[in-house]
Amino acid sequence: MMGPPGAGKGTQGEILERSLGVPRFATGDILRHARREGTKMGREAQRFMDAGELVPDEVILGIIGEALQGDKARDGFVLDGFPRTVAQAEGLGRILDELGIRLDAVLNISVEDDEIVHRLSSRLVCSSCGIALAHDGQSDASCPVCGGTLVQRRDDDAETVRHRLIVYRERTEPVLTWYRAAGARVVDVDGLGSVEEIRDRVRAGIGI
Ligand code: AP5
């Protein structure tokens, strides 16, 4: 699943994960989990994430290589927010070749920049369990799952979001060009509309 920050990859990825009955590996979620756990990888990734920069390719390829070799991934999987550079796409190709797995589709969700800034500046996440929620105007609300404190994601302030969009255009959009040139099945989905409308477009696009 590809698309700019805030395009709805996570939202649609969760729906796809449930409807296909396969695991979803979201590199952003894995990195944030590592950061909350205080692991070495999480601490090293933090400065890149907070600045809206990409975490180095070798770290990301290590995460994905490990995830895809596990039993969980045997019957298929959804990759969310990966690959984000041409080097990651090439690395993924090598991992899939080694495992004898075929890439079915590259799903590309697009949303215009102003909508993205609006969506991300009104998102809150739980500082304990990481769940994301739409802002309902109650700044003192607590997490409905674990009771933790709700905060803005560190990289969701307008300035960092604008920088993430620049990074997306410079480093991730070329991945789509690379996949198209390689003859991969790229499914383009308009990400503007209700979550249900986009869910239906995704399903129609990939044919499920
Ligand atoms: P990551 O967590 O992947 O962030 P992102 O790609 O910037 O995406 P987001 O999580 O912000 O948005 P999303 O597209 O998943 O949208 P969502 O469904 O949440 O990565 C964070 C950082 O980690 C990166 O900047 C980088 O540093 C690092 N990283 C991760 N992967 C990496 C990689 N492969 N290589 C290198 N570094 C990597 O929706 C957003 C909001 O909109 C939510 O509030 C949601 O409720 C709302 N929303 C969803 N759908 C709709 C809709 N249809 N209408 C209105 N609102 C909607």
Side-chain angles (χ1 to χ4, degrees):
M1 302 192 71
M2 296 184 58
K9 301 182 294 295
T11 304
Q12 296 300 327
E14 280 179 21
I15 296 173
L16 209 49
E17 171 180 21
R18 281 197 300 275
S19 50
L20 292 173
V22 297
R24 175 175 63 102
F25 300 111
T27 41
D29 290 349
I30 294 169
L31 292 167
R32 277 184 294 277
H33 178 75
R35 201 168 64 180
R36 282 196 302 278
E37 296 289 304
T39 68
K40 183 165 175 277
M41 179 182 78
R43 288 196 305 275
E44 284 172 1
Q46 181 162 343
R47 68 189 166 96
F48 295 101
M49 298 174 80
D50 288 352
E53 297 290 344
L54 295 182
V55 172
D57 291 333
E58 55 275 19
V59 176
I60 299 293
L61 284 166
I63 291 173
I64 290 295
E66 200 177 307
L68 299 192
Q69 275 162 24
D71 279 354
K72 263 174 76 180
R74 211 174 30 204
D75 298 324
F77 46 81
V78 173
L79 297 173
D80 169 353
F82 169 88
R84 270 187 222 227
T85 64
V86 170
Q88 290 180 19
E90 290 170 341
L92 174 64
R94 287 192 294 274
I95 294 170
L96 295 183
D97 282 349
E98 276 168 27
L99 296 171
I101 296 171
R102 182 174 51 90
L103 181 71
D104 292 313
V106 178
L107 185 62
N108 173 37
I109 305 179
S110 51
V111 172
E112 60 198 39
D113 290 5
D114 287 348
E115 167 70 9
I116 285 170
V117 175
H118 169 71
R119 282 186 192 182
L120 297 187
S121 55
S122 52
R123 167 168 67 181
L124 290 178
V125 296
C126 174
S127 56
S128 301
C129 71
I131 191 178
L133 300 160
H135 198 318
D136 62 2
Q138 288 179 275
S139 57
D140 58 346
S142 53
C143 173
V145 175
C146 73
T149 310
L150 297 180
V151 295
Q152 188 177 45
R153 215 169 93 173
R154 294 186 206 202
D155 55 350
D156 274 353
D157 64 281
E159 194 186 333
T160 311
V161 170
R162 296 262 176 222
H163 185 68
R164 286 159 65 195
L165 284 167
I166 292 170
V167 171
Y168 171 77
R169 306 269 177 252
E170 287 179 352
R171 303 204 50 201
T172 306
E173 270 188 350
V175 179
L176 287 165
T177 311
W178 186 87
Y179 273 126
R180 290 186 212 279
R185 182 176 164 223
V186 180
V187 175
D188 293 298
V189 169
D190 176 1
L192 215 52
S194 71
V195 169
E196 293 73 23
E197 282 168 336
I198 295 150
R199 174 201 63 197
D200 292 346
R201 283 176 210 156
V202 168
R203 286 181 176 165
I206 59 175
I208 58 164

